[in-house]
Amino acid sequence: MMKILELKDNFIRFSIDGITPAIANSIRRTLINDIPKLAIENVIYHHGEIRDADGNVYDSSLPLFDEILASRIGLIPLKTDLKMNFRDECSCGGKGCDLCTVTYSINKLGPGMVYSSDIMPVNNPELTVTDPLIPIVELKKNQAMLVTCEAILGRGKEHAKWQATSGVSYKYHRNFHVNKAALDNWQFYKDTCPKSVLSENDTTILFTDDIPCSYLSQLMERDGVVVEEDSTKFIFKFETDGSLKASDVLSYALHRLENRFTALMESLSD
């Protein structure tokens, strides 16, 4: 059974019970490596002189090497539509179309810093950058940046720029059985971590670390405390870079695992 413990657009914490460590690790690895995400793959530089509406001339030779800038641009998170096709599986045969490719442009005149907000989507205005304040390169007077970019879907196992999640981790569910008579300051933990209290009677109080409270870790080495770990119940947490909502990432990961396990069982039965 799965239970959502905390949910934000870019963060989720949830529990799953009745699974093995092997299944828990497969969920973790899927969340890290196997979630499709949009990222810029091709960067086309338009070098030469550029004139603005007033006739001023700008040089598009940039302060950083093209390869370095392409790497920086590729790592900027983009909002992602999971309904898009992978380019090598698209009906266009990998040529690039609106079903598998999003085109972006950067057109910035110096002096000034080029930020991620200057990356403008051309054929899909909804798939913007997730953070508008990521610096890319600083332009001096009479310098300009004119670039066309192509973004495609990929997975984290191919390159870090396609990794949608970070901080993916899990741990066993733990309960702390506290003997009130043996632990003088048990009231401190109750007052500090009230949401972590599962039950209480005259002699004992039971805490769980399913609800985060940094003070509970102190109970691991205290007299009068019995720590109970459940190796069939796991507490997961992860965050996203904004390219996808955390709930959408989790839903995709679980369906992805289900489909892969089904395919494996079918191959074994053949």
Side-chain angles (χ1 to χ4, degrees), residues 214-231:
S214 58
Y215 290 98
L216 288 181
S217 60
Q218 300 174 5
L219 295 176
M220 294 290 292
E221 301 178 356
R222 299 296 298 273
D223 294 334
V225 178
V226 176
V227 181
E228 177 188 22
E229 288 190 342
D230 185 349
S231 60

Side-chain angles (χ1 to χ4, degrees), residues 7 31 34 40 52 59 161 176-177 199 252-253 267:
L7 178 62
L31 289 169
D34 223 14
I40 290 173
D52 63 12
D59 182 5
K161 66 183 178 182
F176 300 87
H177 299 262
S199 62
Y252 183 93
S267 66

